[in-house]
Amino acid sequence: MQIASVHTRIVRAPYRRPFVISSGTSPELISLVVEVRTADGESGFGEASPMTAYTGETLAGLEAALTEHVAPALIGRDPRDLAGAHAAMDAAIRGQHLAKAALDIALHDVAARAAGWPVHLLLGGCVRPRVPTAWVVGLGTLEEMVAEAAAYAARGFVHIKVKGGEDPELDVRLVRSVREAVAESVELSLDANEGYDPGTAGRTVSRLADAGLDLIEQPLPRWDLAGMAMLRSRGGVRVMADESVYSLHDALEIVRRGAADVLNIKILKVGGLYRARQIAAVAEAAGLAVKIGTMPELGVATLAAAHLAAALPNATVAADLVGPLLVGEEPLAGAAFAGVGDVGWVDVPVGAGLGHDL
């Protein structure tokens, strides 16, 4: 089996309402969909969605890196040779994790389809056939955010993540109000997206813990691992690294510095499923939990995240699989996510490949 060609298409889906985090606002979800075709007629699909305010990567840059550098490095290779594919992509261009992730997902899809397996079997098995997903509440007024959190907790979502990082005082009020509005069994996290000042973060996180927060995500700049370790040492609330985790080497340094209790592994950010499994293994060896996150993406990449969350024993924090639920109409794998917004989990597909209907 050999890769014969790679094709791309840009897909746009407007959000039901603009997706707002502390680093920027997105009115629509834009993805680059990749199809890998083999010489014997097999196809596999991947996807990458550049959130420029978050990763610094643009759609034009992603498409250029993929079509001019990364894809040509794979032509003629066996799509089942994932280690070799990553070595070839890394030799072709440094960085460009989103482009490499899109192709990595497509390679997993085509290899699993050829074998007649669901992708999670390529990733090690299926620890959990149903993957619980967190509901992510974007920035808004306090009243809007509390109402949204309460509504989705009542539907069955076991983890509610609220966005923050702009105003610590408002974050404390928000966490206290959401905790009062949801059941005690619902895990509550706040994603500050690097928004807190290192000098006052300790006091803010202590107040958040007193308000009922379970998990604080990336409260400090990605480079401040000493500050993250300090927050973790205070206890009271678990610390999760997100923007600090772009590579296997980042994960190892976080473990060495004791800078997190949980690693948020986003497949696109780290370069694909192959690299994500390596990072999860480092976390498992260190006794850390992982969360499988998204930025968010549409259905193909979100399905890849669901398969990975199903396969990893230490993926014990509810995954972020809500991208397809945030848009008005999911154009890639809508059937796989039908009803998810009413129950709070994704049933991991058991057919060959990722489980989309492209």
Side-chain angles (χ1 to χ4, degrees):
M1 182 184 294
Q2 290 185 332
I3 298 170
S5 61
V6 176
H7 306 267
T8 63
R9 176 176 293 178
I10 295 171
V11 177
R12 299 172 182 267
Y15 284 114
R16 294 180 185 275
R17 61 173 179 149
F19 189 69
V20 185
I21 63 176
S22 61
S23 57
T25 301
S26 300
E28 61 180 351
L29 207 169
I30 306 172
S31 277
L32 187 69
V33 178
V34 179
E35 181 185 5
V36 169
R37 297 177 187 171
T38 67
D40 51 355
E42 295 285 351
S43 285
F45 289 85
E47 177 199 350
S49 179
M51 193 173 185
T52 304
Y54 176 80
T55 67
E57 296 175 84
T58 65
L59 180 64
L62 166 62
E63 189 170 23
L66 196 151
T67 58
E68 297 174 16
H69 298 279
V70 186
L74 298 184
I75 300 300
R77 299 192 61 88
D78 188 326
R80 297 166 294 188
D81 179 13
L82 296 165
H86 276 271
M89 291 190 292
D90 289 344
I93 190 170
R94 184 175 297 181
Q96 297 296 333
H97 290 178
L98 267 67
K100 293 171 184 177
L103 281 165
D104 167 281
I105 293 169
L107 294 180
H108 279 81
D109 192 27
V110 71
R113 284 171 178 266
W117 295 354
V119 163
H120 57 259
L121 290 187
L122 291 183
L123 301 175
C126 192
V127 177
R128 51 189 72 82
R130 283 182 166 177
V131 176
T133 179
W135 182 258
V136 183
V137 181
L139 291 173
T141 68
L142 187 145
E143 292 76 16
E144 290 170 342
M145 296 176 73
V146 172
E148 183 176 338
Y152 281 90
R155 295 185 187 187
F157 284 78
V158 298
H159 186 122
I160 299 294
K161 178 165 82 171
V162 295
K163 291 288 187 177
E166 292 189 327
D167 181 347
E169 288 294 329
L170 179 60
D171 288 351
V172 173
R173 290 171 53 205
L174 172 64
V175 167
R176 183 176 294 113
S177 298
V178 172
R179 176 48 70 200
E180 292 172 353
V182 304
E184 187 176 350
S185 59
V186 174
E187 191 168 45
L188 177 59
S189 64
L190 183 140
D191 185 0
N193 286 118
E194 307 179 87
Y196 289 164
D197 175 77
T200 59
R203 182 166 64 253
T204 298
V205 172
S206 293
R207 294 178 63 201
L208 289 168
D210 292 341
L213 191 69
D214 298 301
L215 188 64
I216 181 74
E217 181 174 352
Q218 199 67 47
L220 295 174
R222 67 195 72 184
W223 48 263
D224 192 2
L225 297 185
M228 296 274 282
M230 178 274 293
L231 292 178
R232 185 189 182 205
S233 70
R234 291 188 172 206
V237 58
R238 290 194 293 170
V239 175
M240 179 160 62
D242 177 7
E243 285 90 338
S244 296
V245 188
Y246 272 83
S247 69
L248 181 62
H249 308 291
D250 289 343
L252 184 59
E253 189 61 19
I254 289 168
V255 168
R256 285 174 172 164
R257 302 282 290 274
D261 300 285
V262 183
L263 301 186
N264 188 343
I265 304 175
K266 293 181 175 175
I267 295 170
L268 299 190
K269 185 179 67 176
V270 303
L273 290 163
Y274 179 80
R275 296 299 186 200
R277 286 182 66 201
Q278 291 179 317
I279 292 171
V282 169
E284 186 176 13
L288 304 186
V290 300
K291 172 189 181 76
I292 305 305
T294 57
M295 296 201 293
E297 296 93 50
L298 291 172
V300 170
T302 305
L303 280 172
H307 282 278
L308 182 62
L312 295 177
N314 59 328
T316 53
V317 178
D320 287 343
L321 304 175
V322 298
L325 310 182
L326 299 177
V327 297
E329 183 177 349
E330 208 296 315
L332 304 181
F337 296 94
V340 172
D342 297 320
V343 294
W345 67 76
V346 173
D347 289 310
V348 183
V350 295
L354 287 168
H356 54 73
D357 49 10
L358 292 175

